[in-house]
Amino acid sequence: EIVLTQSPGTLSLSPGERATLSCRASQSVSSSYLAWYQQKPGQAPRLLIYGASSRATGIPDRFSGSGSGTDFTLTISRLEPEDFAVYYCQQYGSSLMYTFGQGTKLEIK
Amino acid sequence: QVQLVESGGGLVKPGGSLRLSCAASGFTFSDYYMSWIRQAPGKGLEWVSYISSSSSYTNYADSVKGRFTISRDNAKNSLYLQMNSLRAEDTAVYYCARGLFVGGSLSHFDYWGQGTLVTVSS
């Protein structure tokens, strides 16, 4: 089973700053099957990025994804107040199972 | 618009059973794989199970295999999760989610319900 490790656990930044979130896999992951979600308190997760770099419908272009193999990155170019939330990466792999990273909390500094 | 509405959560004693439901609308339910994903209080997301569009294929996380059963009724646009032999560690919000394919393989989830809380406690 592929394990996804996200870092940092918590990221403290100010609105307007750039955020870089990391997701590292224990084995190589097909880029086609790496996604990112945003979750705000009391809400369901929302799909941001799929296929490592494709934005989901309605997602602002300040969100971008990149990476391949075992290292993937979610970048938020200029933080808006509504971007402070928890972010999860997720993959689907050869084990025919989905796995999620443990999450990165993006908080206001 | 796509809607997924879970129900059936509640308080149950260890060793007990519960059946969750997810009512789908706004899309052709019978065309999509569906999953259950859970989130323990203050914790991260854990995929639980998925079922193929025609119910031919199912798969489960090791943590629930042999205790939980996923099913669906395409005529009723509904997804179910039968949970038996419940344990304290099954306490979580349970979400249903629609799965998408990329390049012929399952990939990610594009729509999620708002979740239903299951509490296992004596």
Side-chain angles (χ1 to χ4, degrees), chain B residues 3-84:
Chain B
Q3 277 201 310
L4 298 169
V5 180
E6 302 92 338
S7 61
L11 175 63
V12 60
K13 289 181 168 54
S17 298
L18 209 56
R19 189 194 196 208
L20 305 184
S21 299
C22 171
S25 61
F27 66 103
T28 304
F29 180 70
S30 58
D31 284 349
Y32 290 88
Y33 274 59
M34 297 295 295
S35 277
W36 288 99
I37 297 150
R38 68 184 181 183
Q39 186 170 37
K43 303 297 184 183
L45 300 168
E46 179 188 18
W47 168 77
V48 172
S49 180
Y50 68 68
I51 186 168
S52 65
S53 53
S54 62
S55 303
S56 299
Y57 303 106
T58 60
N59 204 359
Y60 300 89
D62 290 343
S63 57
V64 306
K65 202 169 290 185
R67 300 187 298 123
F68 289 12
T69 302
I70 192 171
S71 62
R72 65 191 294 161
D73 185 337
N74 287 343
K76 294 183 178 180
N77 290 339
S78 292
L79 175 71
Y80 306 103
L81 186 68
Q82 178 66 43
M83 304 186 294
N84 298 333

Side-chain angles (χ1 to χ4, degrees), chain A residues 32-33 37 39 44 90 92 96, chain B residues 39 50 59 102 106-107 109 113:
Chain A
S32 297
Y33 311 128
Y37 301 86
Q39 188 179 33
Q90 168 258 310
Y92 180 81
L96 305 183
Chain B
Q39 186 170 37
Y50 68 68
N59 204 359
V102 173
L106 286 169
S107 173
F109 308 103

Side-chain angles (χ1 to χ4, degrees), chain A residues 56-99:
Chain A
T57 302
I59 301 303
D61 60 7
R62 65 179 180 273
F63 290 90
S64 63
S66 63
S68 63
T70 60
D71 289 299
F72 297 88
T73 301
L74 174 70
T75 302
I76 310 171
S77 58
R78 279 182 60 87
L79 285 166
E80 298 287 342
E82 62 267 28
D83 298 336
F84 292 91
V86 180
Y87 292 83
Y88 295 94
C89 57
Q90 168 258 310
Q91 70 87 36
Y92 180 81
S94 57
S95 62
L96 305 183
M97 294 184 183
Y98 298 93
T99 54

Side-chain angles (χ1 to χ4, degrees), chain A residues 33-47:
Chain A
Y33 311 128
L34 194 288
W36 290 90
Y37 301 86
Q38 176 194 67
Q39 188 179 33
K40 297 180 180 179
Q43 296 185 16
R46 176 175 72 145
L47 175 68

Side-chain angles (χ1 to χ4, degrees), chain A residues 43-55:
Chain A
Q43 296 185 16
R46 176 175 72 145
L47 175 68
L48 296 176
I49 301 286
Y50 64 94
S53 60
S54 297
R55 272 188 301 278

